[in-house]
Amino acid sequence: MSSLYGNSIKISIFGQSHSDSIGVVIDGIPAGEPFDAEKLKAFTARRAPSNNSLGTPRKEADEFEVLSGVANGKFCGAPFAAVIKNTNVKPGDYSEFSERPRPGHADYTANVKYHGANDFSGGGHFSGRLTAPLCIAGGICLQLLENRGIYIGAHHERIGSVTDLRFDPVNVSKADFDALVRGRVTVIDESKLSKMEALVEECRSEKDSVGGVIECAVIGLPAGLGDPIFDGMENRIAQIVFGIPGVKGIEFGNGFDCAKIRGSENNDSFAYKDGKVVTETNNHGGILGGITSGMPLVFRAALKPTPSIFKEQNTVDLTEKEDCTLVIKGRHDPCIAVRALPCMEAAAAIAVYDALLDHNKTNI
Amino acid sequence: MSSLYGNSIKISIFGQSHSDSIGVVIDGIPAGEPFDAEKLKAFTARRAPSNNSLGTPRKEADEFEVLSGVANGKFCGAPFAAVIKNTNVKPGDYSEFSERPRPGHADYTANVKYHGANDFSGGGHFSGRLTAPLCIAGGICLQLLENRGIYIGAHHERIGSVTDLRFDPVNVSKADFDALVRGRVTVIDESKLSKMEALVEECRSEKDSVGGVIECAVIGLPAGLGDPIFDGMENRIAQIVFGIPGVKGIEFGNGFDCAKIRGSENNDSFAYKDGKVVTETNNHGGILGGITSGMPLVFRAALKPTPSIFKEQNTVDLTEKEDCTLVIKGRHDPCIAVRALPCMEAAAAIAVYDALLDHNKTNI
Amino acid sequence: MSSLYGNSIKISIFGQSHSDSIGVVIDGIPAGEPFDAEKLKAFTARRAPSNNSLGTPRKEADEFEVLSGVANGKFCGAPFAAVIKNTNVKPGDYSEFSERPRPGHADYTANVKYHGANDFSGGGHFSGRLTAPLCIAGGICLQLLENRGIYIGAHHERIGSVTDLRFDPVNVSKADFDALVRGRVTVIDESKLSKMEALVEECRSEKDSVGGVIECAVIGLPAGLGDPIFDGMENRIAQIVFGIPGVKGIEFGNGFDCAKIRGSENNDSFAYKDGKVVTETNNHGGILGGITSGMPLVFRAALKPTPSIFKEQNTVDLTEKEDCTLVIKGRHDPCIAVRALPCMEAAAAIAVYDALLDHNKTNI
Amino acid sequence: MSSLYGNSIKISIFGQSHSDSIGVVIDGIPAGEPFDAEKLKAFTARRAPSNNSLGTPRKEADEFEVLSGVANGKFCGAPFAAVIKNTNVKPGDYSEFSERPRPGHADYTANVKYHGANDFSGGGHFSGRLTAPLCIAGGICLQLLENRGIYIGAHHERIGSVTDLRFDPVNVSKADFDALVRGRVTVIDESKLSKMEALVEECRSEKDSVGGVIECAVIGLPAGLGDPIFDGMENRIAQIVFGIPGVKGIEFGNGFDCAKIRGSENNDSFAYKDGKVVTETNNHGGILGGITSGMPLVFRAALKPTPSIFKEQNTVDLTEKEDCTLVIKGRHDPCIAVRALPCMEAAAAIAVYDALLDHNKTNI
C-alpha cells in the first residue's frame, strides 16, 4: 500500500515536496527503548544538503519535531510521529512540469496514474525530499540496532567511472566503518575521494549529472533472521531500498558476478572459528535461503544520475499534444548517490530491525 | 509474513520438498474470469524437469489438482487452491544435512532459525521445488494478463560466461517472444543455444554447476501501475523475484550500468508516436517513480550456480562441533537458471497483475 | 498492528493525550476526489466538547491542520496527513495513575504491556481524545461516500435507563437523518431528549457516570460490498468500532434478539419493489454472508459508562503492592456515549468506504 | 482480504461446500512446537455432525489430511496446510438457488458481488462447512495455548427462549470447563440440557429453526496482550468471530448491559489477591483499553436461527424478475448454534494465540 513498509514495525511516510510538512509515523517500536534525539539529529543531518557545492543549493534544515510516541526519553508504546516543516518552498519553479514532464522523473507517470490531480510542485510525493522521513525512521532503527551490537556502514563503491574498493565481506568491522573517509562522498580508499568529488563537480559545471553505486554492510547480526520465500532478507531489503528514488538495481554478496562463475567457486565453505560457525568466504552476502547466516550482510544498490539536468531536453507538451523541448531551472544535486548514502543505511536499518522483531515473536 | 505475497491478490505458498504435497492458495482473483486448465498445465510443464540431461534426473510430474476456487470453468470469487502431490520422494538422501549443512544452501541458516525443528529432507520449504506452486499462481496471472493484451517473455541473457543478446527495450514485441529459441535454455540469438547447453553439460560432467542471468520483459502494460515509495513496480517485482531460490541480484532498465553514465545519456526523452506518449530510449525499463510508463518493463535477475555440487566440500559437523568434509549425492540441476526461466515469468506476472488490481480500486 | 486499519485505504492514528500533537495519516484516497475542509471542520466540531455542561469542561479546539495529501483542493494521491495540536494540556492531573491505576481504565493493562514505559498522562494513547483523528479520517470518508449517494446517521438508542425509538430498518432515509433531534444527545423521539440530558446531569451531580447505546445506519449502499469469512462487513465494522474507547458490544440487524426467535420469524423475504430486489423486513441489518444486500446497514454499539468518576474507588498501589483508595479529580464527560456519536458515524464511514474501494478492484 | 486472518500467524481458509476439498494454510506457527494429531482429531470431531438428530443428517467425516508444515511430530517452521475432502457431495440439491435466492442466505448477495460466477452449490464458500478448516486452525492454537496454561471453554448461554447460567466471570476455572454438561448442546446448568434439546427438536419437527447465544471464556491469560485502538482484544476477537456464519452480535464482559448502569456499578475495583493484581468484579470481561487484564476474558456471541427452513418462503426469481415462493429441501441443522460451539472456541484460540505471538516480538 504505497507508502507503508514493515511487518512488526510499520513505517508510514507522508508529505509532498511543497506541502505544509513531510513526516513519518512508526508503529510498533517496543516500549521502554531509549530515544536519543541528539543522535538522531546527527544522523539526519548527514542527509541534509551541506554548505558545500556537491549538494543542492536549496537550504533544507530538515529539523524534525517529534509529535508523539516518546515519554520520559523512552519510546512509550504509542506510535512515534515526527514531521519536518517545508519552510523553503518555491512552488513557482515547477508549474510547467504538469504539462511538460521532465525526462527521467515521475511527472508523466504520476500524471497518468492520478489523472492530473497529483501535486507536481517539487515532484510532490515523489521528491527525493521524502527520504528525510525515511532517515528519521532509519535513524531510530539504527539506534535500536546499535543497542544490540548491530552496526551498519555504507560507502560510494562507484561514482560514474570512478570506483572505490569494496568492503572485505568476511572481516568488515565497526573499525572499518569508523575508518571510512567522509568528504562530500564517502570512500574506503582515500585516494578516490577527490576523484569522485571532481567528477561530480565536472558534471555540475557541464549542466549534467552522474550516477553511482552504494555498498552497504550490516555487521553483528545474529544468524536466523528473515523468513522463507517472499520475506527473506533479500526480499525485505530490496523492497525498501527501491523506495529510495533513483535506485535501479540491487545485488547481495557477489550479486551479478555469481552468474558468471561455477558452484565450486561460489559456494562458501562452513568452518568453525573461535567456536562459532562461519563461512570462509562470503559470496552469499550473509544471506542463505533468505535467512541471515551471521556473516556480514552485504549489498550494493545502483543509483541513476539525477534526472534534473540543465541541458535542453526533448519532451512532450501534454496540452498541445506535441513534441517540445524543456530547460530545467532551479537547484538540484548533480549526483543523487551522494545524499542517498545515509538513506541506504536507514533503509537497511529498518529492514533489519523489523526482521529482528519478527524473529522475536517465534521465540516462545 | 514469510510465504505470503500481494495486496489485491494474496498468494500463500505451502509445502516442503518431501511433505505430502506442495501447493498454493490465491485469494482475490476477480470472479468470472475464465480458468484455462490446459493452458496452465502447459505453462507449469515448462518448469518441470524435462527428459533431457540438463534438468534433474528426479522425475517430477508436477501435475496439479485444483481443490477450490473454480466453478463452471471460471474463477468463482472463493480462494483458488491447488496442490501437487510429492510422489517421488527419497527422504533418505538428505538425512545427514541436518548436522552437516551443505555450503550455499539454507541447511545451516534454517537450522539456527528453527532450532533444528525444520524439515531438512530435500531442503524442506527452501527447496527449489516450491517454485512449482509459484508457477501455478503465476501461470494463472499470465492468463489473466493475456486477456488484457499484456504479455511476458524471458530468456537466458547469460549462462556462466556465455551471453545472449538483450531484448530491444523500446520495441520488444510479442513476435519477439514467439521467436525465442527454446531448447534446454531459451535465447534470442540461436547461435548461443548450443554454447550454453554445452557449458551446462560440461559443468555437470565436472560435478560442478554454473549461474546465469534471466532477462524478462512485460509488454502491453498501461501507464500508471504501481504506487509511490515502498510499493512501486521495482519494489513489488524485487520482493517476489527474490522469492525464487538462488536469485542474488535484480536490475531494471539499464540497471547497474546507469551508475556509470551521465544524466544526459541516461534520461529517456519523451515523444509522441502515433498519438501516444513514448520514450525514445528505454533506460528506465518502463518504470519511473515506481510507476509504469507504458514502455516495455524490462528487468534482469542474477541466479547463483546450483549450490548442490558433487565435488567434495568443506563444512562443519554441528554435533561434533568440528570441521569436516561433505560429498553430496543425488540428483540436481547443474544450473538452476535453466528451470528458473518460467518462474521468472510467473513472478513478474503475479506482481504485475496484483498492481493492476490495486490500480483498479482507485478508479472510482 | 495496533493503530492501523484498512485494506484499500490505510488509516494510521498517532498521538497521546498530552503529546505535542495527535493526528492521522490516510493512505489510499483516490486522487482527484474533492476535499471540503469546511465540511470536515463542521463534522469534527460535532465531536468537540461543547460549551454546555454535558461535555467535559476541558476546552479542546480540535482544529486540525492539513500537512499533506491535498493539492488544488483535491486529494492528490499522496498520503493525507493532519494533526491537532495538544494546546490545553495539564499533565499534573494524571501523575498518580502510573502507580494507582484507575478502575475501568487502561492504566493497569498498559502499565503491564509496556513495562511502565507508557505515557500515563491523560491516558496517553488510550485517551478518548484519540477519537479526534478518527473523526478526521471518518469525516473525509463521509464526504467521499456522500458524493456517491451513501449517507450515515446515528442516534442515542439508549442512555442508561432511557431508550429512544429505533430506526425503521427497512425505510430509514436521509430525511430521517435530517429529522434527528440534536441537543446534547441525538434522538429520534424528541420527548427523550430532555430525559436523557437530565439523566446525564444527574450522574454528573452524583459524581457518577452512565453508559449508552448508539444506533447507526448506512443508506444508499449498493449490494455486493464486503468479502467472505474474515472480511465481511460485520467483521470490518466491528474491528473499527471496537477502536472507539468504551465500546463493549456490537450487534447488526436485530442482533442479540435473533437468538431468541425462530428462522421463520428471522428470515427476511426477498421481493421486487420498483424493479429492484429488496427484503420485506430487515432483521439481517443489510448484511448477508458478510456482503451488503442493498438494504440499510444497521448496527448498534454499547458504550460503558465513563470510567472516570469522582467518587472514591478501590484500587491498588503498584509501588507499595497494597490495596488503597483513589479519588479522581479533573474534568471528564459523565457519559462517553454523548461525544462518541460522531465517532460511530466516522468509524462506519471508514469501514464502508474501504470496502467500496476493495470492491472496485475486482470490477475488471 | 476476505479469507485471511491474523498478524503473527496468518490463517488462509479455502474451499467451497462442494469443491474437491476445503482446507486451511497457517503461516507463522513457531517451529519446534509439538503437533498432536490425535488431539486435533478429537477437537474437530466435536464440530462434525453427530449421529443424533440435532445435527444435520448429511454425513461429514471431516477427517483432515496434513499436507505440510510438520516434521518429526513438530511444527517445522514451514506453513502448515491441511485439507478435508468433500466426499459426500450432492450438487443437485442446490441448483435452483442461483436464480431463487434463499432468504437469510448469501445466495443473493454473493450473486450480486460475483456477477453470478460464484459457486452456488451448497452455499459455496459461504457454507457453514468452511468452519471445519477454522476448527483445524483453532484446534492447533488451542493445543499451543494449553501448553502455556491457557484454556478456553464455551457453553450455550441461550437456545431460543431457554437460557443457561453464565460463567462466573471472576472465578471461572478449568474445573468449570471440565464440569460442563455436554449432550447435543453444552450447558452449565444440567437441567437446561433437555429443555434446549427439546426446543431444537420441536423446531425441526415444525420445519423451522432457532437461534442461540454462545458464551466463551479464556482463562490463564497473562495481562498485557492486545494492542491499542484497532488491534485490541475486542477488535481481534470480533473480527474472527463474525467469520462464523450466522453470528450477528458480540459483547465482552457485561456487554450491552453496561449501557444501562452507572460507572460506580460498572467499574471493577483493583485489589491484591495472593500477591497478584486482580479485579473484584469482572464487568470488563478481562479487557481494558483493548489489553488483557489477567482476569478471565469473557464474551458472548449471538447466532441467528439456521436460515434453511423447510417451510414455504417468499423470494424472487432473478431470471423472471418476479416474486415467487421457495421450498428448501435437503438436510440442515435446525440450530446452527449447536455446532458453532467448538467454532467459537477455535476462533477465540486463534485470536488469542496470534495476540500472544504479537506480544512476544516486543519483548526484547
Side-chain angles (χ1 to χ4, degrees), chain B residues 7-9 28-31 33 77-79 148 228 353 356-358 360-364, chain C residues 7-9 28-31 33 77-79 148 228 353 356-358 360-364:
Chain B
N7 288 338
S8 285
I9 52 169
I29 302 175
E33 295 283 330
R148 277 154 197 78
Y353 187 65
L356 192 71
L357 294 189
D358 277 9
N360 259 23
K361 71 188 166 204
T362 59
N363 279 333
I364 66 175
Chain C
N7 288 338
S8 284
I9 52 168
I29 301 175
E33 296 283 329
R148 277 154 198 79
Y353 187 64
L356 192 72
L357 294 189
D358 277 9
N360 258 23
K361 71 190 165 202
T362 61
N363 279 334
I364 65 175

Side-chain angles (χ1 to χ4, degrees), chain D residues 204-266:
Chain D
R204 179 195 301 279
S205 68
E206 292 176 3
K207 301 187 173 182
D208 210 336
S209 63
V210 68
V213 172
I214 293 170
E215 185 179 58
C216 189
V218 188
I219 59 170
L221 274 177
L225 304 189
D227 292 275
I229 307 197
F230 304 124
D231 243 6
M233 291 310 303
E234 289 112 335
N235 317 60
R236 289 163 175 263
I237 292 173
Q239 196 203 342
I240 192 166
V241 161
F242 280 111
I244 300 171
V247 173
K248 295 302 280 188
I250 190 166
E251 59 178 11
F252 295 84
N254 62 355
F256 275 85
D257 284 344
C258 75
K260 301 175 185 169
I261 59 176
R262 305 239 171 151
S264 54
E265 300 166 277
N266 191 61

Side-chain angles (χ1 to χ4, degrees), chain D residues 65-98:
Chain D
E65 298 167 61
V66 175
L67 303 187
S68 70
V70 175
N72 304 313
K74 294 178 180 173
F75 293 102
C76 69
F80 174 90
V83 293
I84 298 167
K85 285 277 170 190
N86 284 325
T87 50
N88 187 26
V89 172
K90 294 191 189 172
D93 287 347
Y94 295 87
S95 49
E96 85 179 286
F97 307 137
S98 61

Side-chain angles (χ1 to χ4, degrees), chain C residues 1-142:
Chain C
M1 179 55 48
S2 70
S3 306
L4 284 116
Y5 176 86
N7 288 338
S8 284
I9 52 168
K10 295 276 184 196
I11 309 288
S12 175
I13 285 178
F14 60 87
Q16 300 111 251
S17 188
H18 294 168
S19 63
D20 177 85
S21 316
I22 57 176
V24 64
V25 180
I26 314 173
D27 201 332
I29 301 175
E33 296 283 329
F35 171 58
D36 187 334
E38 290 310 310
K39 199 170 181 179
L40 181 57
K41 271 182 202 163
F43 178 74
T44 56
R46 285 182 47 207
R47 182 205 154 274
S50 58
N51 51 8
N52 67 56
S53 56
L54 283 181
T56 165
R58 174 177 171 184
K59 200 175 154 195
E60 299 176 272
D62 277 6
E63 295 223 348
F64 61 84
E65 299 166 59
V66 175
L67 303 187
S68 69
V70 175
N72 305 314
K74 294 179 180 174
F75 294 102
C76 69
F80 174 92
V83 292
I84 299 168
K85 286 278 171 191
N86 283 325
T87 49
N88 187 26
V89 171
K90 293 192 188 172
D93 285 349
Y94 297 86
S95 49
E96 85 179 286
F97 307 137
S98 61
E99 52 185 23
R100 297 191 169 191
R102 291 168 294 173
H105 273 283
D107 296 341
Y108 173 68
T109 56
N111 188 14
V112 175
K113 178 169 196 69
Y114 300 119
H115 321 299
N118 55 307
D119 185 353
F120 286 94
S121 185
H125 192 54
F126 296 86
S127 166
R129 188 158 165 67
L130 270 291
T131 55
L134 182 75
C135 282
I136 294 174
I140 288 171
C141 291
L142 279 169

Side-chain angles (χ1 to χ4, degrees), chain A residues 89-296:
Chain A
V89 171
K90 294 193 189 172
D93 287 346
Y94 296 88
S95 49
E96 88 179 283
F97 306 137
S98 61
E99 54 187 21
R100 296 191 171 193
R102 291 168 294 171
H105 274 281
D107 297 340
Y108 173 68
T109 57
N111 188 15
V112 173
K113 178 168 196 66
Y114 301 119
H115 322 299
N118 56 307
D119 185 352
F120 285 95
S121 185
H125 192 54
F126 296 86
S127 165
R129 186 154 168 69
L130 271 290
T131 57
L134 182 76
C135 283
I136 294 174
I140 288 171
C141 292
L142 279 169
Q143 294 184 8
L144 300 171
L145 289 171
E146 286 184 17
N147 296 344
R148 279 154 196 79
I150 299 169
Y151 296 90
I152 297 181
H155 70 105
H156 289 100
E157 196 254 354
R158 169 187 294 277
I159 297 289
S161 53
V162 187
T163 57
D164 190 20
L165 296 171
R166 287 188 176 180
F167 286 132
D168 172 350
V170 173
N171 299 307
V172 57
S173 68
K174 182 157 188 308
D176 294 326
F177 295 163
D178 294 340
L180 286 170
V181 185
R182 296 182 187 279
R184 296 162 186 182
V185 296
T186 299
V187 289
I188 299 172
D189 177 359
E190 188 167 6
S191 73
K192 299 304 177 68
L193 190 73
S194 56
K195 291 198 177 90
M196 286 185 182
E197 292 182 352
L199 176 58
V200 175
E201 278 313 300
E202 180 188 318
C203 291
R204 178 195 303 278
S205 67
E206 293 176 2
K207 301 187 173 182
D208 211 335
S209 64
V210 68
V213 173
I214 292 170
E215 185 178 57
C216 188
V218 187
I219 59 170
L221 273 177
L225 304 190
D227 292 275
I229 308 197
F230 305 124
D231 243 6
M233 291 311 302
E234 289 111 335
N235 316 61
R236 290 162 176 263
I237 292 172
Q239 197 203 340
I240 193 166
V241 161
F242 280 111
I244 300 171
V247 173
K248 295 302 279 188
I250 190 167
E251 59 178 11
F252 295 84
N254 63 354
F256 275 85
D257 283 345
C258 77
K260 301 175 184 167
I261 60 176
R262 304 238 171 152
S264 54
E265 300 166 275
N266 192 61
N267 281 355
D268 301 303
S269 299
F270 290 107
Y272 273 100
K273 186 177 172 187
D274 304 331
K276 203 186 140 198
V277 176
V278 298
T279 59
E280 297 186 295
T281 49
N282 186 8
N283 291 323
H284 70 289
I287 309 172
L288 286 169
I291 302 173
T292 56
S293 67
M295 295 299 290

Side-chain angles (χ1 to χ4, degrees), chain D residues 12-314:
Chain D
S12 175
I13 285 178
F14 60 87
Q16 300 111 253
S17 188
H18 293 168
S19 63
D20 177 86
S21 318
I22 57 177
V24 63
V25 180
I26 314 174
D27 202 333
I29 301 175
E33 296 283 329
F35 170 60
D36 187 332
E38 290 309 310
K39 198 170 181 178
L40 181 58
K41 272 182 201 164
F43 177 74
T44 56
R46 285 180 50 207
R47 183 205 154 274
S50 60
N51 51 9
N52 66 56
S53 55
L54 282 181
T56 163
R58 174 176 169 185
K59 202 174 151 194
E60 299 176 272
D62 276 7
E63 296 221 348
F64 60 84
E65 298 167 61
V66 175
L67 303 187
S68 70
V70 175
N72 304 313
K74 294 178 180 173
F75 293 102
C76 69
F80 174 90
V83 293
I84 298 167
K85 285 277 170 190
N86 284 325
T87 50
N88 187 26
V89 172
K90 294 191 189 172
D93 287 347
Y94 295 87
S95 49
E96 85 179 286
F97 307 137
S98 61
E99 52 187 24
R100 297 190 170 194
R102 291 169 295 173
H105 274 282
D107 296 340
Y108 173 67
T109 56
N111 188 14
V112 174
K113 179 169 194 68
Y114 301 119
H115 322 299
N118 56 307
D119 186 352
F120 285 94
S121 185
H125 192 54
F126 296 87
S127 166
R129 190 159 165 66
L130 270 291
T131 55
L134 183 75
C135 282
I136 294 173
I140 288 171
C141 292
L142 279 169
Q143 294 185 9
L144 300 171
L145 289 172
E146 287 185 17
N147 296 344
R148 276 153 198 81
I150 300 168
Y151 296 90
I152 297 181
H155 69 105
H156 289 102
E157 196 254 354
R158 171 188 292 277
I159 298 288
S161 53
V162 187
T163 57
D164 190 19
L165 296 170
R166 288 189 176 180
F167 286 131
D168 172 349
V170 173
N171 298 307
V172 58
S173 68
K174 183 159 187 305
D176 294 325
F177 295 162
D178 293 341
L180 287 170
V181 185
R182 296 181 187 279
R184 295 164 186 178
V185 296
T186 298
V187 289
I188 298 172
D189 177 357
E190 188 167 6
S191 73
K192 299 303 178 68
L193 189 73
S194 56
K195 289 197 179 91
M196 285 185 181
E197 291 182 353
L199 176 58
V200 174
E201 277 314 299
E202 181 188 318
C203 291
R204 179 195 301 279
S205 68
E206 292 176 3
K207 301 187 173 182
D208 210 336
S209 63
V210 68
V213 172
I214 293 170
E215 185 179 58
C216 189
V218 188
I219 59 170
L221 274 177
L225 304 189
D227 292 275
I229 307 197
F230 304 124
D231 243 6
M233 291 310 303
E234 289 112 335
N235 317 60
R236 289 163 175 263
I237 292 173
Q239 196 203 342
I240 192 166
V241 161
F242 280 111
I244 300 171
V247 173
K248 295 302 280 188
I250 190 166
E251 59 178 11
F252 295 84
N254 62 355
F256 275 85
D257 284 344
C258 75
K260 301 175 185 169
I261 59 176
R262 305 239 171 151
S264 54
E265 300 166 277
N266 191 61
N267 280 356
D268 301 303
S269 299
F270 290 107
Y272 272 100
K273 187 178 170 187
D274 305 331
K276 203 187 140 196
V277 176
V278 298
T279 59
E280 297 186 294
T281 48
N282 187 9
N283 291 324
H284 70 289
I287 309 171
L288 286 170
I291 302 174
T292 56
S293 67
M295 295 299 289
L297 190 164
V298 182
F299 70 90
R300 282 172 299 283
L303 287 117
K304 69 181 185 185
T306 312
S308 289
I309 58 174
F310 302 105
K311 293 184 172 180
E312 187 179 272
Q313 297 182 85
N314 293 322

Side-chain angles (χ1 to χ4, degrees), chain D residues 330-341:
Chain D
R331 32 184 199 180
H332 297 284
D333 294 341
C335 177
I336 51 178
V338 172
R339 290 171 66 196
L341 195 89

Side-chain angles (χ1 to χ4, degrees), chain A residues 7-9 28-31 33 77-79 148 228 353 356-358 360-364, chain D residues 7-9 28-31 33 77-79 148 228 353 356-358 360-364:
Chain A
N7 288 337
S8 285
I9 51 169
I29 301 175
E33 296 283 329
R148 279 154 196 79
Y353 186 65
L356 192 73
L357 294 188
D358 276 8
N360 259 23
K361 71 188 165 202
T362 61
N363 279 334
I364 66 173
Chain D
N7 287 338
S8 283
I9 52 168
I29 301 175
E33 296 283 329
R148 276 153 198 81
Y353 187 65
L356 192 72
L357 294 188
D358 276 9
N360 259 23
K361 71 191 166 201
T362 60
N363 279 335
I364 65 173

